Amino acid sequence: MKYDIILAGVGGQGVLSIAAIIASSAMKDGLQVRQSEVHGMSQRGGGVQAHLRISDTEIASDLIPQGKADMILSMEPVESLRYLDWLSTEGVLITSSEPFVNIPNYPEVETIYNAIKKLPKAHIVNSKDLAKEAGNPKTENMVLIGTALKYMPVKEETVLNSVRERFQKKDPALVEANAKALELGANV
């Protein structure tokens, strides 16, 4: 078994944090993990992406070949489209519906959504509203992970434990909000 994920977003959206949570969860589930990051101009709102490879056997490379990604998990809709060449024909694209307009010629949102909806497997997730429903607007990424869990070879309970470990020391209320966000995302 192997599962390859391209994580994409804009600087400051937590792409690398999501990668870390998924990677640590996969390792706790006994899987092999390789990760490669491209930070871009993240401090100026530029694109950030990470290749995350999960397998039950040894992984030779950090990078996912074009046309072989099982998933694009994106925090921003335009960024999700930027990596379509990496998505396999059976792959799934999951993206937040919320645009991050950081360029003057940002495409019309409906044009972006229409391009995404043409894919055989795609989810445009209203992560912003679901994060608010979870009790913390900063849990949007957990909503997206929750949606992605139905496709990834990582157990939901393991991800929840990783979230607990990550946020328990900061604030126990963060654990509760992130757990609720995972649950809401899983129900999309």
Side-chain angles (χ1 to χ4, degrees):
M1 177 285 303
K2 74 150 188 68
Y3 201 83
D4 292 333
I5 306 168
I6 300 280
L7 296 114
V10 175
Q13 288 190 307
V15 171
L16 303 179
S17 296
I18 286 180
I21 288 171
I22 296 170
S24 68
S25 299
M27 288 187 286
K28 288 174 186 169
D29 281 346
L31 299 170
Q32 301 287 315
V33 175
R34 299 281 290 222
Q35 180 182 340
S36 177
E37 305 163 357
V38 177
H39 296 268
M41 296 295 288
S42 61
Q43 293 178 333
R44 295 195 174 109
V48 178
Q49 54 114 342
H51 290 228
L52 182 59
R53 307 190 80 189
I54 302 169
S55 179
D56 58 0
T57 59
E58 189 174 340
I59 304 167
S61 171
D62 294 351
L63 298 177
I64 300 167
Q66 282 192 345
K68 299 295 184 183
D70 298 293
M71 176 184 291
I72 294 173
L73 180 56
S74 182
M75 283 84 266
E76 205 283 331
V78 163
E79 291 298 319
S80 72
L81 294 175
R82 199 180 300 268
Y83 301 101
L84 283 182
D85 287 345
W86 273 263
L87 191 63
S88 75
T89 55
E90 300 84 34
V92 62
L93 184 147
I94 298 169
T95 186
S96 173
S97 62
E98 189 69 23
F100 185 90
V101 181
N102 58 347
I103 54 176
N105 58 344
Y106 194 92
E108 289 291 321
V109 175
E110 284 307 313
T111 303
I112 300 164
Y113 292 167
N114 289 336
I116 292 168
K117 290 174 185 175
K118 288 179 183 175
L119 298 170
K121 290 187 207 171
H123 300 277
I124 300 171
V125 181
N126 188 340
S127 57
K128 184 176 183 177
D129 287 348
L130 291 172
K132 287 178 187 174
E133 185 179 334
N136 187 328
K138 294 182 178 181
T139 61
E140 279 190 69
N141 292 346
M142 288 304 147
V143 170
L144 294 170
I145 290 175
T147 303
L149 278 172
K150 61 187 87 161
Y151 300 99
M152 294 188 298
V154 180
K155 296 176 188 151
E156 185 174 349
E157 183 65 29
T158 309
V159 173
L160 187 54
N161 287 334
S162 293
V163 167
R164 282 186 189 115
E165 289 171 10
R166 187 174 191 94
F167 295 109
Q168 188 67 42
K169 291 177 187 171
K170 292 180 182 180
D171 182 355
L174 288 175
V175 174
E176 187 177 318
N178 279 285
K180 181 68 175 170
L182 277 171
E183 178 186 329
L184 290 170
N187 291 324
V188 168

